[in-house]
Amino acid sequence: VERARDEELRALMVRYQQGDEDALRDLYARTSPGIQRYLSRWSDRTRALDLTQETFLQIHRARRTYRPEMPVLPWIYAIARHVALQHVRTTGRRIVEEQVEFPPTAALDVLVLERHDLVAAIRRLPEDQQETVWLADIEGFTSGEIARVTGATEGTVRVRLHRAHAKLRELLGERK
Amino acid sequence: VSEIPQALLEKLSQDLRPVRAVLPARVRSAIVILLGAFAAIVLLMRFGVRDDIAAQDTMRFSAFLLVRIAAGVTLIALALREAIPSAAAPDRVRSSALLIGLVLLVLLPLFFATGDAPLAPMQCGVLILAVSALPFVALMILIYRAYPLRPVVTGLTAGLGSGLLAEAALFAMCSNAGAMHGTVVHGSAVAIMGVIGAIIGYVTKRRSPAY
């Protein structure tokens, strides 16, 4: 499923580079919910929507840098991350969204937890672990893809994920 | 399904012309390295190789030369990767490469030094700047045709890479084997290239609406 999704996104990106407006609409429809969710780590819901649109403006500017052999989502999320960090640097504020709508595929859903508890527990992790667990367990990224987005090595990503899961188990155990 | 907001669609549709994807990383690196090699060959043809070349231990001399070239090529490749979102080398790799490049810059002349030769000729520094100009300009064009997320770091890496490549040419040309000459004159020129790259990155960062 993941491979098929990636192949579809690659085909969309290539059509978008060729100037196809329908491909742009489709790309936005498929990726913007995830981007907005990811950006809600740095802002409230309204601002996350604005940042999502800003991300698409930057994606448009950067579209020539996409090559078909690259996975699409890490490329898009690296730009989204950059937009978010610029936002935090410029405003000096970080108001996070507490109500997050999880995608149906979120891996942590299997824990059958109160979603608010889960989000609250993730927020208590160190910053780098929060981002890693978010991308891995909520957005479904592999370690390699997370490394591409965050600029860490794959080994570092795996270590962060391991530590984050251990800490989450501890935090959620406390609540139970 | 999330629909793209009409205002955003209209804005993007104004400039929805087809674009050609950037060249593969290997090709872009090859372009810059070939231009650097061309500039170095022109310099060597104009000034010739160092006077003491016959007295040099071939293995040792080649090893020192290759280390310089490898350091320059690595930094150039890293700068080009840095300009593509999600393709940048991990922070740890880039920081290590920059650190190793700087250490080599200081240590290699010390290892190769044969005596307390004078600091002069200062001309070497100017020649390094001149030789590195061609690959540096090509590199910056390729970088800014892409999308550097961290322009200051990218510019610094690009400048040091071009400078190290040019310094390798000067190493083959300059007969002054004094440690101070190598470190101070050659090293300063490479460092200046790095600073120029970082300044360009900083200026574009401030001017670009993307940042």
Side-chain angles (χ1 to χ4, degrees):
Chain A
V1 174
E2 289 301 312
R3 185 178 289 273
R5 182 184 68 162
D6 195 51
E7 286 304 318
E8 284 172 15
L9 288 176
R10 284 175 203 232
L12 276 181
M13 265 310 297
V14 171
R15 281 175 45 210
Y16 174 34
Q17 285 179 322
Q18 290 163 353
D20 185 338
E21 191 179 299
D22 288 339
L24 167 61
R25 287 173 192 271
D26 213 358
L27 190 71
Y28 186 92
R30 285 170 184 238
T31 58
S32 64
I35 294 172
Q36 196 178 335
R37 197 164 46 236
Y38 178 58
L39 291 170
S40 70
R41 288 192 59 254
W42 285 279
S43 59
D44 58 35
R45 188 182 295 251
T46 314
R47 191 63 194 144
L49 183 61
D50 290 345
L51 292 177
T52 303
Q53 295 194 29
E54 176 61 26
T55 299
F56 267 84
L57 284 171
Q58 300 311 323
I59 286 172
H60 191 71
R61 286 189 59 191
R63 67 194 191 280
R64 68 162 59 245
T65 67
Y66 175 76
R67 288 195 55 80
E69 64 268 20
M70 293 162 66
V72 178
L73 287 177
W75 181 80
I76 287 179
Y77 276 66
I79 294 172
R81 184 177 195 266
H82 172 70
V83 168
L85 293 177
Q86 288 303 312
H87 162 69
V88 172
R89 248 172 245 153
T90 312
T91 60
R93 282 184 311 138
R94 185 173 172 154
I95 306 162
V96 294
E97 179 60 49
E98 295 298 336
Q99 299 298 319
V100 178
E101 287 174 21
F102 284 73
T105 51
L108 282 175
D109 240 6
V110 297
L111 293 172
V112 197
L113 291 157
E114 287 294 327
R115 291 175 174 199
H116 181 74
D117 282 354
L118 180 56
V119 173
I122 292 174
R123 303 261 190 247
R124 288 178 63 187
L125 296 172
E127 180 63 27
D128 53 355
Q129 292 179 20
Q130 270 189 43
E131 184 172 31
T132 306
V133 86
W134 195 280
L135 286 170
D137 296 327
I138 295 173
E139 303 303 336
F141 280 36
T142 63
S143 301
E145 288 173 333
I146 297 170
R148 281 172 162 267
V149 174
T150 59
T153 62
E154 255 189 88
T156 304
V157 169
R158 278 195 287 268
V159 170
R160 282 178 189 165
L161 201 53
H162 177 74
R163 287 181 183 160
H165 283 162
K167 182 78 178 166
L168 276 179
R169 265 184 229 111
E170 193 184 307
L171 288 171
L172 293 167
E174 274 173 19
R175 283 165 191 257
K176 283 180 180 175
Chain B
V1 176
S2 305
E3 272 195 32
I4 186 166
Q6 195 57 34
L8 178 64
L9 182 64
E10 279 171 15
K11 200 167 184 177
L12 299 185
S13 297
Q14 286 170 8
D15 175 32
L16 202 55
R17 67 186 193 286
V19 292
R20 193 185 296 170
V22 291
L23 293 166
R26 277 173 299 183
V27 177
R28 285 179 297 134
S29 299
I31 290 171
V32 176
I33 291 160
L34 284 175
L35 284 171
F38 171 75
I41 289 166
V42 168
L43 186 83
L44 283 167
M45 285 172 69
R46 168 73 179 81
F47 293 98
V49 292
R50 55 197 295 162
D51 301 335
D52 58 350
I53 191 88
Q56 296 293 336
D57 176 339
T58 311
M59 286 294 287
R60 185 167 172 268
F61 183 80
S62 306
F64 277 92
L65 187 61
L66 284 175
V67 167
R68 284 167 152 83
I69 293 173
V73 168
T74 304
L75 288 178
I76 285 169
L78 287 176
L80 286 167
R81 281 184 62 174
E82 187 72 33
I84 306 290
S86 83
D91 294 342
R92 198 181 291 173
V93 173
R94 195 193 46 248
S95 308
S96 306
L98 281 172
L99 192 66
I100 291 169
L102 288 171
V103 168
L104 284 178
L105 208 61
V106 177
L107 289 187
L108 276 184
L110 297 179
F111 283 131
F112 204 79
T114 53
D116 291 328
L119 205 60
M122 305 298 275
Q123 185 193 12
C124 289
V126 179
L127 287 176
I128 289 173
L129 295 178
V131 174
S132 54
L134 186 60
F136 179 71
V137 169
L139 192 49
M140 293 311 268
I141 288 171
L142 289 172
I143 285 170
Y144 281 96
R145 277 181 61 79
Y147 189 84
L149 295 179
R150 288 177 288 196
V152 176
V153 175
T154 311
L156 173 71
T157 314
L160 290 177
S162 319
L164 275 169
L165 210 56
E167 202 273 335
L170 261 292
F171 177 70
M173 212 189 83
C174 169
S175 306
N176 190 336
M180 284 301 285
H181 175 75
T183 302
V184 177
V185 180
H186 291 211
S188 300
V190 178
I192 287 170
M193 286 308 298
V195 171
I196 291 172
I199 289 172
I200 292 173
Y202 182 73
V203 170
T204 52
K205 181 181 172 180
R206 285 178 62 90
R207 284 190 182 166
S208 170
Y211 307 109

